[in-house]
Amino acid sequence: MNTAVKNIDLPKRIFTAETGSFSSLALEVFRYQYNNNDTYHQYCKTLKVNIDSVNKIENIPFLPIAFFKTHRVITTAFEPTTIFESSGTTQTINSKHLIKDIGIYEQSFTTCFNMFYGKPEEWCIIALLPSYLERNNSSLVLMAEKLIQQSKHPQSGFYLHDTKALHETLVALENNKQKTLLIGVTFALLDFAEDYPMQLQHTIIMETGGMKGRRKEMTRQEVHSILCKNFQLQNIHSEYGMTELLSQAYSKGNGIFNCPPWMKILIRDEDDPLTIQSSTQNKTPSGAVNIIDLANIYSCSFIATEDAGKLYSDNSFEVLGRLDSSDIRGCSLLAL
């Protein structure tokens, strides 16, 4: 394996690449990671991949996400400055994402938030999540903490353990017509909606998914229907992210997600995981979700997830659920 470290300017170009250059940049990242990531290199070798034949993103091998539970998935040799760990119980093996440069993650979620919602300082940001001091290895909680800091609003903060105070805060914010974002795990939002139904006119509700072990499983449509009814809203927003990624996709309603420019969804065949489904005018690909996250420059940017999904012609996508063989996981377990 060629362990020479090249393309050291790649991290600088991830968030500034021109529109239309995604494929060429992704192929460049693929070769960089093939040459500098032992785990990914060995995986490609096992598949007998001819690197010279990988000339389009559909030909790039996608690393099964379970490798983050069993291997050190790192590109270039480094001691991690941060380790993100997936939520779980004592019976589960958690994924670990070893981070070389936390600044890349912060640039990713800050740039993405600005693209979808504008500057954080325009918002009061409230997190119905464990605080960062309680769960200092959660990428979701770190993102929420940093966005709360950037908002600089005196009532921004974590409110998981005091829903009465959260209700009083939302009432005050609504009376002041303050633009507010309430981001939370699904089970906590449902509990809050049942205990404190109210009309929200200046607040966006954003759910991050997850109810495993806390409430009866429900579809996203069922969850959103309850939240819309109890908060008198037209739409519920959603965030799609995971421990193994350094980027997020957002939905502003109906469970339809959009990615930032440095992230892309592909759909693989469930029966043939090495086959990428192609979009046609009369067909919407449906199957297992593959993700290209160029912000994962120092881990692996090409991840075969355990989610099922559907990809639309405008590159938006829908998450249909988990594949049948998937482990129990989810941000809701943060509160266990």
Side-chain angles (χ1 to χ4, degrees), residues 167 170-171 174-175 196-203 227-233:
H167 175 254
L170 286 177
V171 170
E174 285 286 324
N175 288 337
Y196 297 98
M198 60 189 299
Q199 182 179 18
L200 296 176
Q201 296 179 300
H202 308 284
T203 301
L227 295 178
C228 283
K229 178 181 178 181
N230 285 28
F231 292 127
Q232 301 181 44
L233 293 169

Side-chain angles (χ1 to χ4, degrees), residues 1 10 33 72 81 83 117 126 138 162-163 201 215 254 282 319-320:
M1 174 179 171
L10 270 176
Q33 295 185 337
R72 284 173 62 89
T81 59
I83 299 177
Y117 294 101
I126 295 174
S138 164
D162 193 348
T163 52
Q201 296 179 300
R215 294 179 63 115
N254 302 314
N282 299 318
V319 179
L320 303 177

Side-chain angles (χ1 to χ4, degrees), residues 185-305:
V185 290
T186 303
F187 79 85
L189 288 173
L190 286 171
D191 288 348
F192 180 68
E194 291 173 0
D195 292 339
Y196 297 98
M198 60 189 299
Q199 182 179 18
L200 296 176
Q201 296 179 300
H202 308 284
T203 301
I204 286 176
I205 302 291
M206 179 186 292
E207 54 92 7
T208 65
M211 290 194 299
K212 297 288 187 181
R214 294 302 298 252
R215 294 179 63 115
K216 175 185 174 183
E217 281 298 299
M218 303 170 66
T219 65
R220 174 174 275 113
Q221 290 81 3
E222 290 172 329
V223 170
H224 286 200
S225 177
I226 293 172
L227 295 178
C228 283
K229 178 181 178 181
N230 285 28
F231 292 127
Q232 301 181 44
L233 293 169
Q234 293 296 315
N235 290 297
I236 301 298
H237 293 217
S238 303
E239 182 260 1
Y240 180 74
M242 57 189 69
T243 299
E244 301 85 355
L245 302 177
L246 293 184
S247 299
Q248 304 80 30
Y250 288 108
S251 165
K252 293 189 175 183
N254 302 314
I256 305 300
F257 291 88
N258 287 279
C259 296
W262 56 90
M263 180 181 178
K264 186 176 180 64
I265 302 297
L266 291 84
I267 300 295
R268 71 181 187 272
D269 195 301
E270 289 187 43
D271 298 322
D272 182 4
L274 299 182
T275 298
I276 300 297
Q277 296 187 17
S278 59
S279 301
T280 65
Q281 189 173 9
N282 299 318
K283 179 184 176 183
T284 299
S286 178
V289 174
N290 281 1
I291 299 177
I292 300 177
D293 181 9
L294 298 183
N296 271 18
I297 185 66
Y298 292 121
S299 55
C300 183
S301 291
F302 313 99
I303 305 297
T305 78

